[in-house]
Structure formats: structure tokens, C-alpha cells
Amino acid sequence: MDLERAQAAKSREEGSREERSRESPRDDLSRGGPTPGQRERASLFPPSTTQPRTLFDSVRRRLILMVLLALAPIATLNIVQGVMQLSAAEEDARQNLLRHALAAAASQQNVIASAENVLYALQNVEEVRTAGPTCRATLRGATVSLPFAANIGVVNAAGQLTCSALPTSDTDMTDDGWWLSAIRQPGFSLSGRVRSTATERDVLVGLLPLRDAAGRLEGGMALGIEIGWLDNLLRQQVPPSEGVVAVFSASGEELVSNSRSLSGALFQAAPFAAPDNALRESTDASGRRWTYATTPLGREGLVVAYASPSDRLFGWTLVTVAASFALPALVMVASLIALWVAVDRIVLRWLLYLRRVTAVYAQGHYGFRPTRLDAAPSEFRMLGHSVENMAYAVRQRDARLRENLAEKTALVREIHHRIKNSLQVVVSLLSLYGGGMGKGEDRKRFDQLRTRVNTLALVHRILYEASDGSQVRLRELLGELASLIEGSSDKNLRLVVEAEETRLPTDMAVPLALMVVELVLGLTLRPGSTSLGMLIRGTVDDERLRLVLSGTADAPEEPSGLAGGFAAQLGGTLTRNRSGDALVIVGDFPCPAIASPDTAARSRPNGA
């Protein structure tokens, strides 16, 4: 009969396990807080966090760092190459501007050289040198043959105009700066911008001093070069749409320009006193940027400046240099994006899936198969196969452990059953031998002994009938004890039980039951009372069992030695006091928390 009961219990346990196996893996989380098994695991293993502990505590970030380190030399080389291209382009632009400047100024030099040659030729004509009768005609003929000449004149040593190709009202040169500067020169010199009174136009005066054999000043020959004619000549050679070119004196005075509206704004900061051929930038009135260079012409202290639009000069160069700088950045960005997507789709996606698979296995659903790993890379398929093999091995081991546990539980229940039967035999023998004993103190002690033995039998019966042999219900235990004591007492005894449906460990059941029996048996009637009434209240809070017996009974000042011994065995204490006419006995004992069978079953792997 005992084996049949054990097999029936095992069948019921397997049925409940199969029913739980059909539940969702997430049901455990929706039923409340952590189970005792989960709390035990948390006490053994420190909780792991998914947040990175450091900046590079992540697969994705470490791979990004490695890619950046791998691309850094290439990016550095591209940037260095771009800087070198920019320097080479700047040097090419400078040479190009200087070449254009010198080419544009070559015609100006030719005009100045022609004026100088004409003056040197005329100084050898005696009629011209001495301002003879044919001087004016000769000068007039020379002026007509020179398209750039505005007027040619002869000035004596006193600075008076003695002969001129064209009539002029200004014949006194003594106070003119260009005259005073030119006569100090040993040879031909060129003045700045001067207003010609003969033609009412701006001219450049080229003057050749006339000296005798002793080197004394005899006068000079002056030739006015029309600046407007030079501007037109320069404009024909270099249209303003292609570039701006201008000729300046050493003092920075603009002499000739193909676009005076632009040159005046562009060349304001040019170093005309000591040009260094360096590239400089300037902005015109419309906001367009120009790049220019200056270079000396090599005579008369003249400086030529040439400006070209920056976008035209460096257009493709800037695009090339920008590409040299932008290409590494684009490569890095594209590599990082590709790496980010690849890590997410190829690595992290399957790691997350494996994490969910292990979470399912951790809840006991070992029958789950990770079929999605069929589309994963081979490494993750191998890892998934290993995890599945591990789950299968755990399932087999769990099944063996469950069988052993069922066998152990059946044996323990059988032991409780046999002990209960044996104690009942003892109780029957005691009743048989005590039947002829008369009333008195000995009979009272005999009945108390029988009650104590019945208490042990009662506890083993409760343990045998419990679904889980490792725990008993507090309310059931106290209720059964109250019924047993009421039925076996010779007094008019009434016990009321108010206890929680709390589960107690097995090792607490026997000493707790015997302690309650000793306390109740030690109670006496109060004077004038015909019955005993006691309230037994049991609660468990914060892993402490609190047992309170209160009523109108009397009791010795000190608890019996057996009750105190059982309280010490439970690891607690007993205190008694009076509240008015009521006697209150309080016991406080440690009580480890035990999960309910349903919660324990859900926390155990079910082998599904």
C-alpha cells in the first residue's frame, strides 16, 4: 500500500510538471518577485550589468577603434599629400602671376626704352640742343612719329622751356618736383604722374639731362608719355576679365593700369618699396577674392603687380586639395557605418539571440531549439549547437535528479508513515496498560505522556500527508494540535487557533509541537473558573516565527523545563506576562523562508 501511494504521488507530480511545461517562459516573471533559487543565485554570483564599464568595454567600440587606428596612417598621408599639393599649387600660381606680370609690363618697358632712345638721339641734334630755328619742327616730327608721345621739349639749365613740339603756357620748370629730381640723375629718369598743360592729359615725363664735357648741367630734354595711351595698350594685352595689371612707382603711386577701378582697391597693401614676389589676397568691391603678386621691373624703381581671380587661379587645386582632406574623412565615415551595421547584423544580433536562448534554458525549457541560428554564420551555429548540447545534458541530469528526489521523497514519507504507525501502536499499548489505573496524579502523568506520544504521531502523520515532505503548514499543525489537546485533556479546555498559511521547515515541527503541548498542559484553572480558554496566534514576519498564547488561565511563574528546552532547541525564547486578568506567553524563533510548492515548481526546470 505504501508503494502504491508513493507511485500515485509521483504521478501527480509528473502531471503538474507537464502542465507547467506548457506555460510560457515569461510566466515566471509575471507571478511576483524573485524565487528562493533566484535569490540564492544572486547571493553566489554578483549581478552582471549590460552597460559598458569603460569607454571601450564593447565589441563595437573596440572594432571602431581598431579601424580608426588602421586608417589613421592612410588619412595622415592623404592630408600631407594635400598640403604638399597646396604648396606646389601656390608656387605654380606665383610663378604664373609673375610671368603674366612681366609679359604685360614688357610693352611698357618697350615704350619707356623707345622714349629714352629718342631723347638720346635728339640730344645729338645741334639745332635741338641749342633750341635753334628748326628745333620746333624737328621735335614736332618726332612727336608725330611716336604715338605715345604727348609733347617733347627742351629745357635750359635755369629750368625754362626753350623749345617745344606743342605750344604750352607753362614754360617755367624750376619749381616742379620732377625737374628738380631728374636733373640730379646721371642719365635718363622717369617721373610720376604729371598733368601736361600742352595736351591737358596725364603724362609720364621722361627727362634726359644735358651736360657739357665738364659735366655741368646745360639743360635737359623732356618727353611726355601719355598715360591713357599706356592704359589702353595694357588693356589690349590683358583684358580686365582675365586679370588686373598695374605699374607703380617705388613710392606706390599708380602709373599705369588696365582697370583703375579694380587696381586701386586690390593693390592698396602691396609692398612697392621692396616687393617680395609673395602671393597675397585681396577683395574687390563686389566681394570677389583676388590673388596677386608684385615684382620689380628692373629700371626706374618701377613695380608691376598682377592679380587674378582666386577661384580661377586655384579652382581645380582647391577641389583636389579638398578631396585629399575629405577623402580620408569619407572613407572613415563609410568604414564606421559599414562596421557599425556589420557588427550589429553579423555579431550582436546573434549574440542577443543566444542570450535569449540561454534565458529560456535558464527557466527550464530545455526542449526549445534555436532554429533561427540556421541563418547565422558558422561560428554562431557552432556556439548555438554547443549551447543546445549543454541544455540537453542539463535536461538529462535534471531528469535523473528529479527521479532521485521523487524516490527520496517517497522513502521519507514511508518513514514518516511507519513512525506514525509505530507511535500509534505505542499509544494503543499505553491506553491498554493504563486502562486499569485509577484517577490521581499518576493517571494525570500517564495521560500527559500519552498526549506527548500522540503529538509525535500527529506530526509524522502531517509530514506523511504533506505534498512536499520538507515542510509543514503552520495553521494545519496548530489546528491539529489544538484538536488533539482538547480531546485528550480532562479539563474543560477550548483552544482557538489563528495562524497564517505559512510553511515551516520539517526540523521545526516536532520541537514546536511538543513545546505547545507542554505550555498548554502546564496551564491551570483560575480560582472560580470551570473552563480554560486560550487563543493560539502564529505569524511569520521577516523570517521570524512569533507564537502567542493568551487566555484567562493560570500558569507557574517559570515555564516547565521541557518547554524551555524545546524553545532553546528552536533557537528562540519564551516570555510570559499578564495583561490585566489575561496570561500572555510569547515565543520568538528564527524561521527560514520557504517558497510555496507552486513557486518552487515554477523555479525548477521542468524538462520541457
Side-chain angles (χ1 to χ4, degrees), residues 490-519:
D490 58 350
K491 304 173 186 178
N492 187 8
L493 183 61
R494 184 173 182 270
L495 300 178
V496 178
V497 175
E498 293 182 0
E500 297 178 350
E501 278 291 344
T502 305
R503 297 181 175 272
L504 304 178
T506 305
D507 54 358
M508 291 186 67
V510 172
L512 180 63
L514 293 175
M515 184 191 68
V516 172
V517 169
E518 293 298 327
L519 290 175

Side-chain angles (χ1 to χ4, degrees), residues 43-85:
S43 64
L44 295 176
F45 304 100
S48 60
T49 176
T50 58
Q51 297 298 327
R53 293 168 294 183
T54 60
L55 179 61
F56 296 105
D57 187 20
S58 169
V59 174
R60 182 186 285 117
R61 293 178 182 177
R62 291 184 183 182
L63 289 177
I64 288 176
L65 176 62
M66 297 301 296
V67 171
L68 290 178
L69 292 178
L71 294 179
I74 302 176
T76 303
L77 290 177
N78 280 347
I79 293 174
V80 171
Q81 182 181 5
V83 173
M84 295 176 62
Q85 288 179 346

Side-chain angles (χ1 to χ4, degrees), residues 72 104 110 195 243 372:
N110 292 336
R195 189 69 176 179
R372 287 181 56 187

Side-chain angles (χ1 to χ4, degrees), residues 516-540:
V516 172
V517 169
E518 293 298 327
L519 290 175
V520 175
L521 292 179
L523 299 176
T524 61
L525 290 172
R526 293 178 59 82
S529 177
T530 60
S531 64
L532 287 175
M534 293 297 295
L535 172 63
I536 303 177
R537 183 181 295 109
T539 59
V540 175

Side-chain angles (χ1 to χ4, degrees), residues 462-463 466-473 503-506 594-597 600:
I462 293 175
L463 291 175
S467 59
D468 192 337
S470 63
Q471 50 191 318
V472 294
R473 292 185 177 89
R503 297 181 175 272
L504 304 178
T506 305
I594 296 181
S596 63

Side-chain angles (χ1 to χ4, degrees), residues 258-278:
N258 68 336
S259 178
R260 295 191 178 275
S261 61
L262 288 175
S263 60
L266 297 179
F267 304 128
Q268 290 181 356
F272 301 109
D276 53 5
N277 299 336

Side-chain angles (χ1 to χ4, degrees), residues 432-446:
L432 179 62
Y433 286 106
M437 186 178 295
K439 294 184 179 180
E441 192 65 27
D442 292 336
R443 179 57 183 252
K444 179 181 178 181
R445 293 192 183 96
F446 187 84

